[in-house]
Amino acid sequence: MKKISFILCTIIFCLGIGCTSLATNEEPYREKVPRIIFVEDEEMPKVAAGEELKLLITYKNDSSHSATDIRITPIFEDVPLVYERPVVFERALTLRPDKEDKVSFNLKVADDAKVGVYGLKFKLEFENQRDENYTSEAIVYFNVYKEKVKPIIAISNISTGDAPINAGGNFKLSFDVSNNGEVKADNVEILITGQSEDKFMVVDSNDYKYIGTLDSNQKIHHEFDINVSDNIEKGNNTIGVDIKYKDTSGKELSTQKTIYVLDVKSENEVEEEDETAATPKIIISSYITNPNTIVAGNDFNFSFTIKNTSKEKRLRNMKITISSQDGAFIITKGSNTFYVEEILQDSSVTKVIDLKAKQSLTSNSYPVIINFDYEDYSGKQYTANETINIPVTEYSKLVINSVMPGQSYTGSNTSLSFDYVNMGKATVSNLTASVEGDYTCVQSINYIGNLEPGNSDYYDIEVIPSKSGTNYGVLVLSFEDSSGRIVEVRKDFEGFAMDEPVFDEPSIMDPEYINPGMMEPIEIEEPIETWVIVLSGFGSFIVMFIISKIITTKIVRKKLEDEI
C-alpha cells in the first residue's frame, strides 16, 4: 500500500513540475507599441515660389494600442520653406486604435525656390498607456511648379536736361531705377562711373547713392549734378552708372548702364556758338527700348525723343532716317524714314519704330544711326546725326530631341533618358533637369552643367511613376543665357508602369499555413497565460490526491476483510 501511495504522489509531483516548466517557458512580455502614420493625399500640394503652403495632414493610429501626448514637429532641412518661429503641433488627448485626426501647418515657400518636388520631414513623438515614449518619422511631399523671376534692375527715362551741354558748364543727369522682377532687391546702391578730369565729374563728389530695398515693380527717380570739363572733346561722350544689389538669397548682383551725353560743345565751339546763337540744334533728349533686354533674333520697340534746342527758331520739313551698322537691326514694320512737319522752339517730338535684332548677333552693343535733314522758316538747310548704342544678348536655343522612360513598377525607380543639343549662339549655363506630371524625380533638381554652342549630349535621371498604366510627364530643362536670364525648355513624354508583383507564399507563422507533406493546416498554438497554467496544475494536484485517497482506502478495507 505504501508503495502505491508513493507512486501516485510521484505522478502528482511530476505534473506540478511540468506545469511550472510551462509557466517558466511562457513567451516574454511584449510592449504595447502604438503606430502613428500619415494618410497620403490623393493629390500632391502644388505651390508657386513665394506663396503660402497650407498642409492639411491626416494622421492615423495604425495599431491595436492607444497613443497619447502626440507631438508632430516639421524638420526644415533641404526644403525651400521659411518660417518666423518654431512650428510644433501637440495633441494631449488619446488617439484610439484605427482612429484618425487632422492637423494643419501654414508655411511659406521661399522667393528663390526652384521648380521641383520636395519632401518635408516630420518627427512624431507619442506615448502608450504605460507612459512609454516612442518616436517615428513621416514625409509629406509638395510640388513647386513655378519660380519667381529674380530682381531685374533697369534704368529708364534718362535725361540730361533741355539746355545744351557746353565745356566748363554743368548739367543735371536724371533717370529712373526700377525693379522689373518678381522679387524684391536688397541693398541697392548707385554709383556714377567713368569720371575723369577731362570729361565729367559729379559736383561735390556726390557720385554714390544708397537706395536700400527696391520692391517688385517699384520705380525711384534719381538726379546727379554733373560738371563738364573745360577740356572735354566735342561731340558725343559717355558716362556710366553701376547699380549693385542682392536678391532674396543674399547673392550679389549688378547691372551697368552707359549713358550717352550727346552733342557736347567744346570750349571753342561755345565761343563760336555765342556768336551764332540763332543756329537751331536737334538732339536726342531720351530713348527707351521695350523690352529692356534685347535678345538676338527677337523683336523690340525703339522709342526716341527729338528736341529743338533753339529758343528762337521753329524748324520744319524734317526728314529722319534710321539705319544700323552691318544690318544689325532690321525694320519689321513700316519705313525707316519719318517726316515731321514742324517742331516749335524748345519743343520735342517722340517717334517709335519696330525693329528686330539679327539672330547671329553676339552679346555686345550695336549702334543705331539717326540722320536729320531739316530747315528753318527762312529756308536755310541743316543736317545732323546721332548714334545710339543698343545692347543685345546672344540668341539661346536648347532643343530636346527625345525622352525615353524605362519600364518600371508603380512606386519604383526607373531611368529617364533624354538627349539635347545647343542650337543657339551662346553657351547654355547651369543646366538643370526636373520633371512634372505623373512622374516625380528621386532628386528634385538634377544639375547637368554647361553646354557649348553646337554641342549635344545625353543624360539619365531617376524618376518614379505614380500610377499603374500610362503615366504622362513633362521634362523641364532650365538654364541661364549669357545675360543671366532664366530660360526653360519643356517636352512631353509618356511611359507605362505595372503594378508591383504580389507573391502569396504564406509564412510558416501564418495560421493558415499548409504543410506540403501533410497537406493539412498546421495550427499554431497561442501561448497560455501563467495564471491558467498554475491554476490547472493546482487543480490536477487536488484531483489526483482525492483519487489516490479513495484507492488507498479501498485497498485497506479489502485487506481487513480478508483477515477477518
Side-chain angles (χ1 to χ4, degrees):
M1 181 181 67
K2 291 182 179 179
K3 185 175 182 181
I4 293 172
S5 299
F6 175 78
I7 292 171
L8 292 174
C9 290
T10 302
I11 292 171
I12 294 170
F13 178 76
C14 291
L15 287 172
I17 292 296
C19 292
T20 306
S21 176
L22 286 172
T24 304
N25 293 332
E26 182 192 12
E27 185 178 330
Y29 163 74
R30 291 183 176 177
E31 292 182 344
K32 297 183 177 181
V33 181
R35 181 170 179 262
I36 305 298
I37 63 170
F38 282 0
V39 179
E40 186 175 352
D41 290 337
E42 294 183 0
E43 284 192 19
M44 182 186 300
K46 293 181 67 175
V47 64
E51 291 184 352
E52 296 292 329
L53 174 63
K54 295 183 179 180
L55 295 178
L56 180 62
I57 299 171
T58 302
Y59 63 97
K60 178 181 179 182
N61 184 352
D62 189 29
S63 73
S64 57
H65 305 289
S66 296
T68 61
D69 295 332
I70 298 172
R71 183 182 177 92
I72 301 176
T73 307
I75 302 173
F76 298 98
E77 294 179 354
D78 301 326
V79 288
L81 297 174
V82 294
Y83 59 97
E84 295 179 356
R85 56 182 181 277
V87 182
V88 180
F89 166 76
E90 294 183 345
R91 186 186 195 278
L93 300 178
T94 298
L95 187 64
R96 299 191 179 278
D98 205 34
K99 297 296 182 182
E100 296 179 353
D101 203 350
K102 296 183 183 292
V103 58
S104 63
F105 293 91
N106 294 327
L107 306 171
K108 183 178 183 296
V109 180
D111 288 337
D112 58 350
K114 302 292 185 183
V115 170
V117 176
Y118 299 87
L120 175 59
K121 187 183 296 183
F122 288 84
K123 180 180 180 183
L124 284 68
E125 302 170 272
F126 48 90
E127 296 181 0
N128 63 6
Q129 291 181 321
R130 300 176 183 270
D131 295 333
E132 295 167 327
N133 298 318
Y134 300 94
T135 61
S136 62
E137 289 184 348
I139 298 178
V140 175
Y141 292 93
F142 62 94
N143 180 17
V144 178
Y145 70 92
K146 180 183 177 183
E147 297 178 10
K148 274 196 170 184
V149 178
K150 294 180 180 179
I152 301 175
I153 303 301
I155 297 176
S156 60
N157 297 328
I158 301 170
S159 174
T160 57
D162 296 333
I165 299 175
N166 301 324
N170 291 333
F171 70 94
K172 190 177 293 291
L173 173 65
S174 65
F175 50 83
D176 292 335
V177 178
S178 58
N179 179 5
N180 298 330
E182 292 183 350
V183 296
K184 67 177 182 179
D186 293 321
N187 298 338
V188 182
E189 304 173 345
I190 302 176
L191 180 66
I192 300 298
T193 61
Q195 301 181 74
S196 70
E197 294 181 354
D198 295 331
K199 295 180 68 176
F200 302 110
M201 295 289 291
V202 178
V203 176
D204 298 329
S205 300
N206 292 324
D207 57 353
Y208 171 86
K209 288 188 179 181
Y210 179 78
I211 297 177
T213 299
L214 195 61
D215 292 328
S216 174
N217 297 321
Q218 183 181 3
K219 181 185 293 184
I220 297 179
H221 185 75
H222 285 279
E223 295 181 348
F224 292 87
D225 292 323
I226 309 296
N227 176 257
V228 185
S229 171
D230 291 334
N231 301 321
I232 195 168
E233 294 183 2
K234 70 174 183 177
N236 300 335
N237 286 266
T238 61
I239 190 168
V241 178
D242 188 0
I243 302 178
K244 296 181 180 180
Y245 56 99
K246 293 182 179 180
D247 61 15
T248 53
S249 64
K251 181 181 179 181
E252 292 189 354
L253 304 169
S254 65
T255 184
Q256 292 79 35
K257 182 75 172 181
T258 299
I259 295 176
Y260 293 88
V261 184
L262 307 176
D263 198 25
V264 178
K265 302 296 186 298
S266 66
E267 190 172 12
N268 293 333
E269 285 181 312
V270 172
E271 294 174 355
E272 293 174 0
E273 194 171 84
D274 290 339
E275 298 176 0
T276 59
T279 303
K281 298 291 185 182
I282 290 292
I283 65 168
I284 302 293
S285 59
S286 65
Y287 70 91
I288 189 172
T289 61
N290 184 24
N292 291 321
T293 301
I294 300 169
V295 178
N298 287 0
D299 296 344
F300 66 97
N301 299 120
F302 176 58
S303 173
F304 57 97
T305 300
I306 310 159
K307 184 177 179 62
N308 176 7
T309 62
S310 174
K311 298 184 182 301
E312 298 178 1
K313 290 188 176 184
R314 293 180 297 165
L315 303 177
R316 64 179 183 176
N317 296 332
M318 179 177 290
K319 178 183 176 182
I320 305 170
T321 306
I322 297 177
S323 61
S324 62
Q325 188 174 354
D326 299 327
F329 301 108
I330 303 168
I331 298 171
T332 59
K333 288 183 183 180
S335 169
N336 69 328
T337 302
F338 297 95
Y339 174 75
V340 178
E341 184 176 355
E342 181 184 55
I343 302 181
L344 300 178
Q345 304 93 318
D346 198 28
S347 297
S348 299
V349 173
T350 299
K351 293 295 179 181
V352 179
I353 188 170
D354 295 325
L355 301 175
K356 179 177 182 178
K358 193 162 64 174
Q359 190 165 328
S360 61
L361 297 180
T362 59
S363 295
N364 207 339
S365 290
Y366 296 88
V368 171
I369 303 166
I370 306 174
N371 292 305
F372 302 97
D373 293 292
Y374 57 98
E375 63 182 27
D376 59 23
Y377 272 80
S378 65
K380 187 175 182 179
Q381 302 287 329
Y382 302 93
T383 61
N385 65 79
E386 299 285 357
T387 300
I388 305 295
N389 287 288
I390 299 179
V392 177
T393 300
E394 285 176 302
Y395 169 69
S396 297
K397 183 179 181 182
L398 183 69
V399 176
I400 304 173
N401 287 327
S402 62
V403 186
M404 295 293 295
Q407 293 185 351
S408 61
Y409 293 104
T410 305
S412 299
N413 295 10
T414 187
S415 178
L416 182 69
S417 303
F418 54 91
D419 62 285
Y420 50 93
V421 59
N422 183 359
M423 299 180 67
K425 300 294 183 180
T427 300
V428 169
S429 302
N430 296 325
L431 180 63
T432 61
S434 61
V435 296
E436 298 176 0
D438 296 334
Y439 288 89
T440 57
C441 274
V442 174
Q443 185 175 336
S444 59
I445 298 295
N446 299 270
Y447 181 78
I448 299 175
N450 301 335
L451 187 66
E452 296 295 326
N455 289 354
S456 62
D457 204 347
Y458 68 91
Y459 203 77
D460 293 330
I461 60 176
E462 291 292 316
V463 297
I464 304 173
S466 61
K467 63 181 182 180
S468 61
T470 303
N471 286 258
Y472 299 94
V474 180
L475 173 66
V476 182
L477 297 186
S478 177
F479 64 93
E480 293 181 5
D481 63 13
S482 57
S483 68
R485 183 172 60 103
I486 301 297
V487 181
E488 279 190 359
V489 180
R490 309 166 72 88
K491 191 175 184 66
D492 296 337
F493 68 92
E494 62 180 73
F496 188 82
M498 299 176 288
D499 288 325
E500 283 281 2
V502 179
F503 301 99
D504 295 331
E505 182 178 347
S507 169
I508 195 171
M509 298 305 294
D510 193 332
E512 297 181 358
Y513 174 76
I514 298 178
N515 188 321
M518 302 297 295
M519 295 303 293
E520 289 188 11
I522 298 177
E523 295 185 359
I524 306 299
E525 296 183 359
E526 295 184 359
I528 304 174
E529 298 287 345
T530 304
W531 66 273
V532 176
I533 297 174
V534 174
L535 185 59
S536 299
F538 184 76
S540 299
F541 178 83
I542 297 298
V543 172
M544 293 304 296
F545 179 79
I546 294 172
I547 293 172
S548 66
K549 184 66 173 178
I550 294 171
I551 294 173
T552 304
T553 302
K554 286 184 178 183
I555 293 173
V556 171
R557 286 180 181 176
K558 179 68 174 174
K559 186 175 182 181
L560 289 175
E561 290 175 357
D562 292 341
E563 288 178 354
I564 295 173

